[in-house]
Amino acid sequence: ASFEMIKTEKKGAKQNVAVVTLNRPKALNALCKQLVVELSQAVEDFSKDDSVGAIIITGSDKAFAAGADIKEMLNKTYSGNFKDGLLVELEKIKKCKKPVVAAVNGYALGGGCELAMLCDIIYAGDKAKFGQPEVTIGTIPGAGGTQRIARSCGKSKAMEICLTGNQFTAQEAEQMGLVSKVIPADQLLDETVKLCEKIASHSPLIISMCKESVNVAFESTLEQGLRFEQRAFYATFATEDRKEGMGAFVEKRSPNFKNN
Ligand code: HXC
C-alpha cells in the first residue's frame, strides 16, 4: 500500500524489523483519521509478513505524536464519535500478535502518549516529553491514558498526570516504570532496532504466545493470569520450536526456529 502520512521500511542485519515512521511534520504528527488508518494498515500488513519479527512505531526528533488532531476534533459530536469509531483503528494496533515497540523522541502527548502506551515496550530518547494534556482543552484521555498509567505507575501518578495535564520527562517516565529505557536521542532508533533484532531472533510463534501471556496480566486477576500462563507454558510443548530450542541447548548449538 502507498501511504501519505507514514513511511515504512525494514531494518536490521536480517531485515526482519519493520519500522513505521509517523510523518506529518506540519502538525507534529497529530493523529488525524488518515494518519491513524494508515498506521493501523501498516501494522496489519507487517503482522502478516512472515519475514518481520517485530514492529517499531516512531516519529520525528520533534514529535512522536502531539495527540489527536484538535482541529479535526473541534466540531465532532458524541453520536458522530460513536458512529465512526474514533478509536477503533488504535485498538487494532493493540491486537497485533507481534511485538510492537514505540521509539519516542520529542512530544508524546495525549493520544500520542496513549499510542506509545498501547505498544508493548517504550524506548524513549533523552529529550522526549510525555503528558496527558486533554484536561487543558476540556476533554479527557480516550485511548487508554487513565487506565494504562494507573496500571503501570499507580494511582497517585496517574491522577497527577491526568488531572494537571503537565508534561513529564523521559527520565521521569523511566523512573515511574512507563518507559523501559532512556537513550540519547540520536541513538534511539538504532538501539530500538537492536532490541527488536534480539526479540526477532527467537521463535515468532513462542514470542506471540509470550506477549499474549504478559498482556493477560493487565486484564485478569492474578489467579486467572497465573492459570493462563501455566496453560500457555504447557502449550509450548506442542510446538516444534520448543523441541528445537531445548534440543539445541542440550546439543550445545544455536537453535533454528521454524515458527511452528
Ligand atoms: C492538531 C496540532 C496538534 C494537535 C500541534 N499541532 N499539536 N494540530 N492537533 N494535537 C499543530 C499546531 O497547530 C501547529 O500548526 C503545528 O502543529 C506546530 O505546533 P506549535 O504549537 O506551533 O508548536 P510548539 O509551539 O513547538 O508546541 C508544541 C506542543 C503544542 C507543545 C506539542 O503544539 C501543543 O500543545 N499541542 C497540543 C497538544 C495536546 O493538547 N494534545 C492532546 C490533544 S487531545 P499550525 O498550522 O496551527 O501552526 C487528545 C485526545 C486523545 O490527544 C483521545 C484519544 C485518541
Side-chain angles (χ1 to χ4, degrees), residues 26-28 30 62 66-71 87 110-111 114 133-134 137:
K26 65 177 175 24
L28 302 182
K62 171 127 204 231
D69 189 310
I70 299 169
K71 293 169 193 172
L87 298 167
E114 294 172 302
E134 286 88 346
I137 56 166

Side-chain angles (χ1 to χ4, degrees), residues 24-31 62-63 65-73 86-87 90 107 109-112 114 131-134 136-137 139-144 167:
R24 194 188 171 212
K26 65 177 175 24
L28 302 182
N29 293 332
L31 302 167
K62 171 127 204 231
D69 189 310
I70 299 169
K71 293 169 193 172
E72 197 179 75
M73 286 189 295
L86 191 62
L87 298 167
L90 285 173
Y107 294 112
L109 301 178
E114 294 172 302
Q132 297 291 160
E134 286 88 346
T136 67
I137 56 166
T139 184
I140 73 166
Q167 291 177 14

